[in-house]
Amino acid sequence: MSAIRLLVLGAVRLHGRAHGYQVRNDLEFWGAHEWSTAKPGSIYHALKQMAGQGLLIAHETAPSTAGGPPRTEYEITERGDGEYFALLRAAVSSHRARQDVLSAGLGFIVDLPRQEALDLLRERVRGLEGWHGSVTGYYPPGEGPGQMGHIGEIMGLWVHSAESDAAWTRGLIGRIEGGAYVFAGERGEPYAGVLADDPAHPGGEGRRPGPP
């Protein structure tokens, strides 16, 4: 599963029509260039590639007043919309999704209805619990990593990852159940304050929030 495809499709979809710089600006504002492969070159490559695959439509706009080449704007197609939601649902629900893919899914989770998002996250927890059970079936954590030599450290890492990941996901489920965020079909703007050019963001218009 590709995080960059989900990120680019989602960013274009947010704007209706967007040129490459807008997509890049939004994804950099989210820090996606730090936790995924969403670097400038890969973003522009993904846009052109998905236009060739029929997931996006490329529109050439008028040249700039400075005499530059025409700017290409992209618009998601019906097929692209289907691909986007398939990637989004898989990213949120799969316990095997890489961290960059899960992060991309979380960035667009509010495009789903609240109940569907909860159902997908619960599916993820069930997958993590099953994975945890399959590991601990032949590696009892209570006996410590020494039971398998240094390889036990690997098994311990898997067990710890499954437990911490499931705990974090349950926390997110609880927050969403408690009414956090605005989801598809609800009153309000799901992306208020989280886009690079949105002055509603506490960091100010066009500014990326700094590290914690």
Side-chain angles (χ1 to χ4, degrees), residues 152-164:
E153 299 293 349
I154 301 173
M155 307 302 286
L157 172 62
W158 290 352
V159 170
H160 176 77
S161 297
E163 291 173 346
S164 60

Side-chain angles (χ1 to χ4, degrees), residues 61-127:
T61 61
S64 70
T65 54
R71 173 174 279 174
T72 302
E73 290 187 342
Y74 295 90
E75 180 181 6
I76 196 165
T77 64
E78 183 177 349
R79 181 181 168 192
D81 208 53
E83 173 79 358
Y84 167 70
F85 278 104
L87 291 171
L88 175 57
R89 291 178 175 114
V92 173
S93 64
S94 174
H95 71 284
R96 297 186 180 278
R98 299 191 314 266
Q99 286 295 310
D100 61 335
V101 173
L102 173 61
S103 298
L106 293 174
F108 295 109
I109 194 172
V110 292
D111 282 341
L112 299 168
R114 185 178 298 269
Q115 188 57 55
E116 183 178 5
L118 287 168
D119 290 343
L120 293 170
L121 289 168
R122 291 185 183 114
E123 182 180 338
R124 184 168 192 273
V125 170
R126 289 192 295 272

